Structure formats: structure tokens, C-alpha cells
Amino acid sequence: LINYTKSGRIFWSSMEIQPSRDDQGQVSHFVGIQSDITAQTESAINDQLAYAVTRILASGVETAAAIGKILGTICEKMECAHGSLWTRAAEGSPIRMSQQWNVPEVSSGRFARESALAEWHAASGWTASVWAGEGVFAANDLEGVKKFARKAVAIEAGFRSGFAFPITSGGVVYAAMEFFSFHSELPGEAMFQNLETLGAQIGQYLERRRTEADRARVLDLLESSLESSPDAILVTNAAGEAVHANSRW
């Protein structure tokens, strides 16, 4: 069960209800005992999330499809309504959205549209600390967030809190994922630590896919060059074995 404290904090709880009997042995009333099981629940969610992301990355689907599934899975497990991947072409270049996932009521709104067109530099955006290598950034009150150019449309969309975590490869931040929720309560510290671990896992995946794509482009260029040559060309390996030949060979 999800419940709220008097201060408005959300917590996971379990409820045990036991009958209370009078002197004649008849049930006179019931006693309810509520326990805070937030830590146990978040630990289980962490395990489920790690397992789901690992399966997606190992599924062999196209990169865009994998990222879309990951964004949707994190939103589902952490009760968010928007998730997006932000990247930059090189150090110092503008940060732009690469992909986003939204619940239906957000997907056609201003926030989704303006996010798709937004760009900023790492030191000037609301997630500057993430890009600076300082780990997860989280805010349970978007009204108070500085340097957030989309703040007005985020609040208009109904978002109350948000967080972002780095996508890293070899310890270097080259992308980030951000998420927004209709709730003001943020996940616990253990869940954010798990997201940083997932960020490194996703970063390795994206780097591997990028390397594979670069290699494919080089091979395509080589193939095109060989085929456009008027000469017959045979390519061999170090052992003198033929590995490729153009159509004129």
C-alpha cells in the first residue's frame, strides 16, 4: 500500500488487521497495525529495474527501441510521467534531447514539444551538476530549481519533482537521462545509487553500439572505394589469406 504521513511524505506500508474479542469470545472490534516497508519495497524495485534494464540491453533490438524501453521501464518503476535521454556531439557542444517517453497526457502537450526543441550548454542547464560528474541531481520542488528554462511548461504539465542521472563510459559523462513526476516525493538514496550504476551500464551499451556503427561506416566507405576503383583489388590478411576482393578481381 502507498500511504502518506501527516507532513505529506509518501511511504510504502503493510497492514495487518487482527480481531479483538470481548469476554464472551465475540469479535468486538479490529486492531490494525501499519508498518513502514519503504526500504524493503525500494530494494525490490531496484532489483526489478536492474533485471529489466539488463534484459533490454541484451535483447539485440535497435538502439532507439532499447532506449525507449528503458525510459518507459524507469518511468513505470519510479512512478514518473516523463523520461528523456540528452546527449551532445562533443565536449562543449550544446546538449539536445535524443529521445523521450511520456504518459499519454504529457506526450501531446507543450512540455514534450518544447523539450524536443530545447538545447543548452552543460554549465547552464538545470542538470549542470550531472554533466559536471557530480552524480544524480534531484528536486522535490521544481518551483525552486534554478537555470531550468522549461520550468513554466513543466509546472503547467503538472510536474512537481524531477531527477536526472549521468550516462557514463570510462568514468566520463557523455549523456544524461532526466525524469519528471506528478508527485513531490522523491525516491530514496538507494534507488538513486542504483540509477548511477544503471547509467554506467547504459553508457557501455551506447558506446559499444556507437563503435559498431562507426566500424560499419568505415567498412561501407572502404567497400565503396574498392568498387569504384578501375583496378582489380584483392585484400589479404597478415597470413596472405584473401579476405575481400572487388568485383573486378
Side-chain angles (χ1 to χ4, degrees):
L1 298 175
I2 294 180
N3 211 333
Y4 299 82
T5 64
K6 290 182 179 180
S7 65
R9 181 180 69 85
I10 297 175
F11 68 97
W12 289 90
S13 66
S14 66
M15 179 69 75
E16 181 182 353
I17 300 176
Q18 297 179 349
S20 180
R21 301 179 184 275
D22 58 22
D23 294 340
Q24 286 72 44
Q26 300 297 315
V27 176
S28 59
H29 58 281
F30 292 87
V31 176
I33 302 173
Q34 182 173 242
S35 302
D36 187 338
I37 57 169
T38 300
Q40 300 96 306
T41 302
E42 290 188 347
S43 177
I45 292 174
N46 275 342
D47 292 342
Q48 294 168 12
L49 190 55
Y51 177 72
V53 169
T54 299
R55 281 181 59 89
I56 292 169
L57 296 180
S59 66
V61 299
E62 292 296 324
T63 303
I67 294 301
K69 289 183 178 181
I70 289 171
L71 292 172
T73 298
I74 294 176
C75 282
E76 176 189 353
K77 298 295 184 183
M78 304 189 73
E79 298 187 354
C80 295
H82 166 91
S84 50
L85 173 68
W86 297 77
T87 60
R88 59 185 175 187
E91 184 78 25
S93 62
I95 296 168
R96 298 184 176 91
M97 177 186 286
S98 174
Q99 203 166 336
Q100 64 176 308
W101 183 96
N102 300 286
V103 294
E105 58 265 41
V106 174
S107 61
S108 59
R110 287 180 59 198
F111 181 80
R113 294 196 301 272
E114 293 196 15
S115 294
L117 299 174
E119 66 174 49
W120 68 85
H121 287 274
S124 63
W126 78 287
T127 56
S129 62
V130 176
W131 289 92
E134 298 177 16
V136 175
F137 174 82
N140 62 0
D141 179 14
L142 294 181
E143 288 274 10
V145 177
K146 299 178 180 179
K147 299 181 180 180
F148 186 18
R150 294 169 291 142
K151 182 192 297 185
V153 290
I155 294 172
E156 178 187 279
F159 297 139
R160 300 179 65 185
S161 64
F163 62 87
F165 65 91
I167 305 300
T168 59
S169 179
V172 177
V173 179
Y174 73 92
M177 284 186 171
E178 68 174 28
F179 297 85
F180 293 96
S181 172
F182 296 139
H183 308 295
S184 59
E185 187 69 17
L186 291 168
E189 183 63 29
M191 296 192 76
F192 284 143
Q193 291 176 357
N194 185 51
L195 289 177
E196 288 201 60
T197 300
L198 292 180
Q201 187 178 354
I202 296 168
Q204 292 173 1
Y205 165 82
L206 291 175
E207 185 66 25
R208 184 172 67 252
R209 283 297 180 94
R210 181 155 44 189
T211 300
E212 291 171 354
D214 289 345
R215 180 175 181 274
R217 282 193 292 271
V218 170
L219 291 176
D220 287 344
L221 179 60
L222 176 60
E223 176 70 20
S224 176
S225 298
L226 292 176
E227 286 300 321
S228 63
S229 173
D231 301 319
I233 299 176
L234 175 68
V235 180
T236 63
N237 60 20
E241 300 168 332
V243 296
H244 187 79
N246 67 358
S247 58
R248 290 176 178 78
W249 181 263

